[in-house]
Amino acid sequence: MMLEAKNVHKGFDGIGVLKGIDLQVNKGDVVAILGPSGSGKTTLLRCLNFLERADQGELIFDGEHFDLHSATNREIARIRTKTAFVFQNYNLFLNQTVLQNVTLGLVTGGHMHRSEANDIAMAALERVGMADKIHSYPNMLSGGQQQRVAIARGLASSPEIIYFDEPTSALDPELIGEVLSVMRQLAEEGMTMLVVTHEMEFARNVSNKVVFMEGGYIIESGPSKEFFEHPKEERSAQFINTILNKE
Amino acid sequence: MNERLWEILVDSFPKLLLYGAKVTIPLTAMSFALALVIAVIVAMIQYADVKVLRQLCRFYIWIVRGTPLLVQLYLVFYGLPQIGIKLNAYPTAVLVFGLNEGAYMAESMRGALEAVPKGQLEAGYCVRMNYLQIMQHIVLPQAFRIAFPALSNSLISMTKGTSLAATITVTEMFREAQVINGRVYESLGLYTEVALIYLLFCTFLTFLQRWGEKKLNSYGGIKA
Ligand SMILES: Nc1ncnc2c1ncn2[C@@H]1O[C@H](COP(=O)(O)OP(=O)(O)O)[C@@H](O)[C@H]1O
Ligand SMILES: [Mg+2]
């Protein structure tokens, strides 16, 4: 097991948002986190990467234990050397070029030489098909292009797992495909990914595992084929139906 | 216009300009630099919510914004010597102008820092940058762009404000106009002349601001 989260609780202003989440991810897994909006999916990802402090919970990463509530800054820094995070709204550094967006973390946070960082960044940008835009600023790019740069920024630090929080939800429909195809390619190359998404096609055919959340609980989890073909829970079946009918 | 007045104006113009170049501009530049340093530090302390220091910053802004600049000048130059703190006129002017405008600029900077999307910080953390690295490379540069019009405004207002240094014996451009006027008694002509020179300086700064804004928008194009 590469990553295991145990009994994660989180509330905002006394209102429970995560009410005891248990999650396991194996190396090479592509886990799709599904669920209606407001069910706590974003909060879960954010807690796993300490963008949010859980009220309670444990994270076991490569056999190392971390307390999701009281981890030290040092431990948090350590976790973040193993992870990358792709945001719904990209969050590219607006005052930096595409290339700088990818190298900045390597050079400042990772103390890497600029030339080495540039090489790594170019390779990452090539993987997402953005190597021809290295001198552009984020606001000159389409949403799909920005998100691909954001993925390259994540890839550049060779993470063990990438968290995606609805990476295509902010995109115009015609731009979703280019981002999904990059993610599909990463999945095929064996990258471990935890993906909050509403893209049922991706969840069904690219991810090997599905976690269905609602109201701060995991209602059902299992292999994606099984989940879509034979959902065990009433709520899961309803959710699948409403989503598929919408499409 | 009579010939005597014309002669006086032509004669005084280079003198006034000289004091503008020799005193008004350096005084403005130094005061502005001081104000900028104060503004960045005070704004960052509040942005980072550093306990106690944050309260101190609010107190400083409250005092400075709530009292007249002229009174502040008098207090430091004529008042403080009574308790043994004696500064020369010129350093007093730099200090008071810097502290004064610094309070306003700190508020501009604080607003600008808060206008930088929180996601920028979070993305920085996720690529293993620490707080100061994120501030240096991401948040502050963006905040400066957002605050640029407000900071330009402060610079222009400060340029004119340095004329108040005349009241604490600094011979800057306006004081020089007063001195000349004391000899020739041509208030209307001379004060119009010095007003026009201030206008010239500020017009130049306005152009500089336009140019700067264009420059900042041409790359990156961050929308505030
Ligand atoms: N920073 C926050 N402060 C207060 N409430 C929050 C915050 N973040 C999320 N929430 C609340 O937590 C619940 C779950 O949010 P979220 O994790 O974003 O759900 P999802 O990603 O599944 O749509 C929502 O009701 C949301 O309003
Ligand atoms: Mg969400």
Side-chain angles (χ1 to χ4, degrees):
Chain A
M1 189 111 28
M2 179 172 138
L3 176 156
E4 184 170 8
K6 281 184 176 169
N7 198 27
V8 183
H9 287 261
K10 171 72 183 173
F12 291 105
D13 313 316
I15 297 164
V17 170
L18 300 176
K19 301 169 183 165
I21 299 289
D22 294 294
L23 183 74
Q24 284 111 34
V25 182
N26 287 312
K27 194 166 163 35
D29 268 350
V30 177
V31 180
I33 303 180
L34 308 179
S37 116
S39 54
K41 308 180 296 293
T42 297
T43 304
L44 174 60
L45 282 197
R46 290 172 59 83
C47 285
L48 293 180
N49 216 21
F50 294 96
L51 291 174
E52 215 75 72
R53 283 275 183 173
D55 299 330
Q56 184 189 334
E58 191 183 5
L59 176 68
I60 306 164
F61 204 118
D62 286 338
E64 269 183 85
H65 290 246
F66 300 89
D67 189 317
L68 285 174
H69 175 62
S70 54
T72 61
N73 285 342
R74 206 193 185 86
E75 287 173 317
I76 293 173
R78 199 167 152 58
I79 276 291
R80 287 183 180 148
T81 63
K82 298 163 180 282
T83 65
F85 202 104
V86 174
F87 298 87
Q88 182 169 351
N89 55 354
Y90 340 122
N91 285 343
L92 289 183
F93 306 131
L94 298 172
N95 60 322
Q96 311 271 343
T97 64
V98 164
L99 185 64
Q100 291 167 334
N101 259 278
V102 184
T103 57
L104 189 60
L106 301 176
V107 173
T108 59
H111 304 292
M112 192 182 278
H113 279 291
R114 186 163 294 284
S115 61
E116 192 188 349
N118 279 348
D119 291 346
I120 290 173
M122 284 309 298
L125 286 165
E126 237 142 68
R127 279 173 85 175
V128 302
M130 287 298 295
D132 56 334
K133 294 273 187 205
I134 55 171
H135 298 304
S136 301
Y137 285 87
N139 285 352
M140 304 169 176
L141 302 177
S142 74
Q145 291 173 324
Q146 290 191 56
Q147 194 59 296
R148 285 188 284 145
V149 173
I151 293 172
R153 178 172 69 180
L155 283 174
S157 55
S158 331
E160 293 182 36
I161 185 169
I162 305 181
Y163 302 125
F164 292 84
D165 185 18
E166 299 201 33
T168 58
S169 293
L171 298 177
D172 292 334
E174 72 272 17
L175 301 176
I176 290 175
E178 61 190 68
V179 172
L180 285 181
S181 88
V182 165
M183 291 171 63
R184 179 191 292 265
Q185 174 201 323
L186 291 180
E188 280 163 7
E189 290 166 11
M191 176 60 75
T192 311
M193 295 154 66
L194 192 51
V195 186
V196 175
T197 186
H198 290 295
E199 293 296 326
M200 288 303 126
E201 205 274 332
F202 181 90
R204 191 175 193 141
N205 298 321
V206 181
S207 67
N208 62 324
K209 256 176 91 177
V210 165
V211 169
F212 174 65
M213 284 180 68
E214 185 165 53
Y217 296 101
I218 292 183
I219 307 292
E220 177 172 351
S221 67
S224 25
K225 284 266 153 7
E226 240 171 73
F227 176 83
F228 281 101
E229 279 158 29
H230 310 287
K232 291 191 202 77
E233 302 291 329
E234 176 96 2
R235 276 302 298 139
S236 320
Q238 283 171 0
F239 178 78
I240 295 167
N241 273 332
T242 48
I243 291 274
L244 291 184
N245 287 341
K246 248 192 267 169
E247 281 182 353
Chain B
M1 200 187 297
N2 68 48
E3 209 160 295
R4 175 179 168 271
L5 176 58
W6 181 249
E7 224 164 76
I8 287 170
L9 293 182
V10 169
D11 195 46
S12 59
F13 185 75
K15 287 184 194 151
L16 290 175
L17 209 57
L18 182 71
Y19 274 94
K22 233 175 49 179
V23 187
T24 297
I25 291 176
L27 180 58
T28 306
M30 274 189 272
S31 306
F32 189 75
L34 177 63
L36 201 57
V37 171
I38 291 171
V40 169
I41 293 171
V42 167
M44 273 183 73
I45 286 171
Q46 293 178 79
Y47 181 73
D49 207 0
V50 185
K51 308 279 172 263
V52 188
L53 281 184
R54 202 194 76 89
Q55 256 95 45
L56 222 61
C57 290
R58 292 315 306 172
F59 181 75
Y60 153 70
I61 291 168
W62 175 62
I63 294 292
V64 167
R65 290 204 306 181
T67 56
L69 177 54
L70 185 59
V71 175
Q72 292 166 10
L73 277 170
Y74 269 55
L75 194 64
V76 173
F77 189 68
Y78 299 113
L80 289 187
Q82 285 194 357
I83 53 166
I85 304 172
K86 209 165 153 54
L87 287 172
N88 288 333
Y90 196 96
T92 298
V94 172
L95 187 72
V96 172
F97 292 145
L99 279 168
N100 184 277
E101 202 60 42
Y104 294 91
M105 286 160 60
E107 288 294 85
S108 305
M109 271 312 283
R110 185 175 63 86
L113 285 170
E114 275 158 13
V116 175
K118 283 283 172 293
Q120 297 285 301
L121 258 165
E122 294 184 344
Y125 284 130
C126 286
V127 295
R128 307 142 179 68
M129 296 170 76
N130 63 35
Y131 184 77
L132 288 178
Q133 290 170 334
I134 296 171
M135 289 310 287
Q136 180 193 342
H137 295 283
I138 300 164
V139 178
L140 273 174
Q142 293 185 37
F144 270 118
R145 279 187 201 192
I146 296 168
F148 188 78
L151 297 180
S152 305
N153 215 20
S154 283
L155 177 59
I156 288 170
S157 138
M158 193 181 243
T159 306
K160 296 172 295 174
T162 55
S163 59
L164 283 176
T167 64
I168 57 163
T169 75
V170 176
T171 311
E172 42 64 72
M173 190 161 64
F174 175 62
R175 177 82 196 127
E176 176 63 10
Q178 285 181 313
V179 168
I180 297 172
N181 190 43
R183 286 199 306 265
V184 299
Y185 296 103
E186 280 293 350
S187 299
L188 180 61
L190 277 168
Y191 293 145
T192 304
E193 185 173 38
V194 78
L196 287 174
I197 298 177
Y198 279 109
L199 185 62
L200 189 74
F201 286 1
C202 292
T203 306
F204 174 72
L205 288 176
T206 304
F207 276 115
L208 216 59
Q209 176 184 354
R210 294 264 165 71
W211 177 81
E213 277 172 21
K214 243 188 226 142
K215 196 94 185 145
L216 289 178
N217 284 334
S218 69
Y219 75 103
I222 290 170
K223 290 159 202 117

